[in-house]
Short mmCIF file of all heavy atoms in Angstrom, two decimals:
data_model
loop_
_atom_site.label_atom_id
_atom_site.label_comp_id
_atom_site.label_asym_id
_atom_site.label_seq_id
_atom_site.Cartn_x
_atom_site.Cartn_y
_atom_site.Cartn_z
N LYS X 47 -9.52 3.61 0.14
CA LYS X 47 -9.40 2.19 0.45
C LYS X 47 -9.06 2.02 1.92
O LYS X 47 -9.70 1.13 2.50
CB LYS X 47 -8.32 1.50 -0.41
CG LYS X 47 -8.15 -0.01 -0.11
CD LYS X 47 -7.21 -0.75 -1.05
CE LYS X 47 -5.80 -0.75 -0.56
NZ LYS X 47 -5.60 -1.65 0.48
N LEU X 54 -14.71 -1.29 8.08
CA LEU X 54 -15.02 -2.75 8.37
C LEU X 54 -14.54 -3.13 9.71
O LEU X 54 -14.75 -4.27 10.15
CB LEU X 54 -14.20 -3.58 7.37
CG LEU X 54 -14.66 -3.54 5.85
CD1 LEU X 54 -13.74 -4.28 4.90
CD2 LEU X 54 -16.19 -3.97 5.70
N MET X 96 4.91 2.61 -3.19
CA MET X 96 3.60 2.54 -2.82
C MET X 96 2.93 1.13 -2.52
O MET X 96 2.15 0.91 -1.73
CB MET X 96 2.62 3.32 -3.73
CG MET X 96 2.46 2.61 -5.09
SD MET X 96 1.73 3.79 -6.28
CE MET X 96 1.14 2.59 -7.50
N LYS X 114 9.77 -12.65 18.99
CA LYS X 114 9.60 -11.36 18.37
C LYS X 114 8.99 -11.33 17.02
O LYS X 114 9.05 -12.40 16.25
CB LYS X 114 11.01 -10.69 18.24
CG LYS X 114 11.69 -10.34 19.62
CD LYS X 114 12.97 -9.49 19.36
CE LYS X 114 13.54 -9.17 20.67
NZ LYS X 114 14.68 -8.21 20.44
N LEU X 141 11.81 2.93 12.12
CA LEU X 141 11.04 3.96 12.93
C LEU X 141 9.68 3.40 13.41
O LEU X 141 9.35 3.55 14.66
CB LEU X 141 10.91 5.15 12.04
CG LEU X 141 10.49 6.57 12.80
CD1 LEU X 141 11.61 6.95 13.82
CD2 LEU X 141 10.32 7.60 11.79
N PRO X 157 23.07 -11.53 -5.22
CA PRO X 157 22.07 -11.51 -6.27
C PRO X 157 20.80 -12.18 -5.97
O PRO X 157 20.04 -12.51 -6.95
CB PRO X 157 22.86 -12.14 -7.51
CG PRO X 157 23.57 -13.28 -6.72
CD PRO X 157 24.03 -12.58 -5.42
N SER X 225 2.71 -15.82 -17.79
CA SER X 225 1.36 -15.22 -18.15
C SER X 225 1.27 -13.69 -17.53
O SER X 225 0.37 -13.03 -17.89
CB SER X 225 0.20 -16.03 -17.72
OG SER X 225 0.14 -17.27 -18.36
N PHE X 228 3.70 -11.82 -11.82
CA PHE X 228 5.08 -11.59 -11.55
C PHE X 228 5.39 -11.80 -10.00
O PHE X 228 6.57 -11.93 -9.62
CB PHE X 228 5.41 -10.16 -11.92
CG PHE X 228 4.48 -9.16 -11.42
CD1 PHE X 228 4.69 -8.31 -10.30
CD2 PHE X 228 3.25 -8.87 -12.16
CE1 PHE X 228 3.80 -7.44 -9.84
CE2 PHE X 228 2.42 -7.91 -11.77
CZ PHE X 228 2.64 -7.23 -10.56
N ALA X 236 -3.67 -15.98 1.12
CA ALA X 236 -4.05 -16.69 2.40
C ALA X 236 -4.50 -15.78 3.42
O ALA X 236 -4.07 -14.71 3.61
CB ALA X 236 -2.93 -17.65 2.80
N PHE X 242 -6.77 -19.05 -0.81
CA PHE X 242 -7.59 -18.78 -1.97
C PHE X 242 -6.64 -18.81 -3.16
O PHE X 242 -5.77 -17.93 -3.22
CB PHE X 242 -8.34 -17.48 -1.73
CG PHE X 242 -9.17 -16.99 -2.97
CD1 PHE X 242 -10.12 -17.93 -3.52
CD2 PHE X 242 -9.14 -15.73 -3.40
CE1 PHE X 242 -10.87 -17.46 -4.54
CE2 PHE X 242 -9.96 -15.31 -4.46
CZ PHE X 242 -10.80 -16.21 -5.07
N HIS X 244 -5.60 -19.86 -7.50
CA HIS X 244 -5.88 -20.36 -8.78
C HIS X 244 -5.36 -21.82 -8.99
O HIS X 244 -4.33 -22.13 -8.44
CB HIS X 244 -5.28 -19.41 -9.85
CG HIS X 244 -5.89 -19.63 -11.22
ND1 HIS X 244 -5.26 -20.53 -12.09
CD2 HIS X 244 -6.92 -19.03 -11.91
CE1 HIS X 244 -5.93 -20.49 -13.26
NE2 HIS X 244 -6.91 -19.67 -13.13
N ASP X 250 3.83 -27.61 -9.14
CA ASP X 250 3.25 -28.91 -8.88
C ASP X 250 2.15 -28.85 -8.01
O ASP X 250 2.28 -28.78 -6.76
CB ASP X 250 4.38 -29.81 -8.34
CG ASP X 250 3.99 -31.29 -8.28
OD1 ASP X 250 2.78 -31.59 -8.19
OD2 ASP X 250 4.87 -32.15 -8.21
N ASN X 349 -0.97 0.69 -13.23
CA ASN X 349 0.53 0.56 -13.10
C ASN X 349 0.91 -0.78 -12.56
O ASN X 349 2.07 -1.04 -12.28
CB ASN X 349 1.08 1.61 -12.16
CG ASN X 349 2.23 2.32 -12.71
OD1 ASN X 349 2.84 2.01 -13.85
ND2 ASN X 349 2.92 3.26 -11.91
N ALA X 354 -4.11 -5.77 -2.71
CA ALA X 354 -3.05 -6.46 -1.88
C ALA X 354 -1.81 -5.92 -2.15
O ALA X 354 -0.89 -5.89 -1.16
CB ALA X 354 -3.17 -7.93 -2.22
N TRP X 389 -0.20 17.39 -4.17
CA TRP X 389 0.07 16.37 -5.13
C TRP X 389 -0.23 16.93 -6.57
O TRP X 389 -1.23 17.50 -6.78
CB TRP X 389 -0.74 15.13 -4.92
CG TRP X 389 -0.03 14.06 -4.13
CD1 TRP X 389 -0.01 12.73 -4.59
CD2 TRP X 389 0.64 14.06 -2.98
NE1 TRP X 389 0.67 11.95 -3.72
CE2 TRP X 389 1.05 12.74 -2.64
CE3 TRP X 389 0.93 15.07 -1.97
CZ2 TRP X 389 1.81 12.43 -1.50
CZ3 TRP X 389 1.68 14.77 -0.82
CH2 TRP X 389 2.11 13.42 -0.55
N ALA X 404 10.07 18.41 -10.33
CA ALA X 404 10.83 17.58 -9.41
C ALA X 404 10.83 18.34 -8.05
O ALA X 404 10.57 17.76 -6.99
CB ALA X 404 12.22 17.34 -9.84
N LEU X 423 12.29 11.70 8.53
CA LEU X 423 12.49 11.01 7.32
C LEU X 423 12.68 11.88 6.13
O LEU X 423 12.81 11.43 4.99
CB LEU X 423 11.17 10.15 7.08
CG LEU X 423 10.82 9.01 8.00
CD1 LEU X 423 9.55 8.40 7.70
CD2 LEU X 423 11.96 7.96 7.82
#
Side-chain angles (χ1 to χ4, degrees):
K47 181 175 89 76
L54 293 174
M96 67 191 197
K114 291 188 175 189
L141 195 59
S225 296
F228 50 98
F242 181 47
H244 193 271
D250 187 335
N349 226 359
W389 260 231
L423 294 175

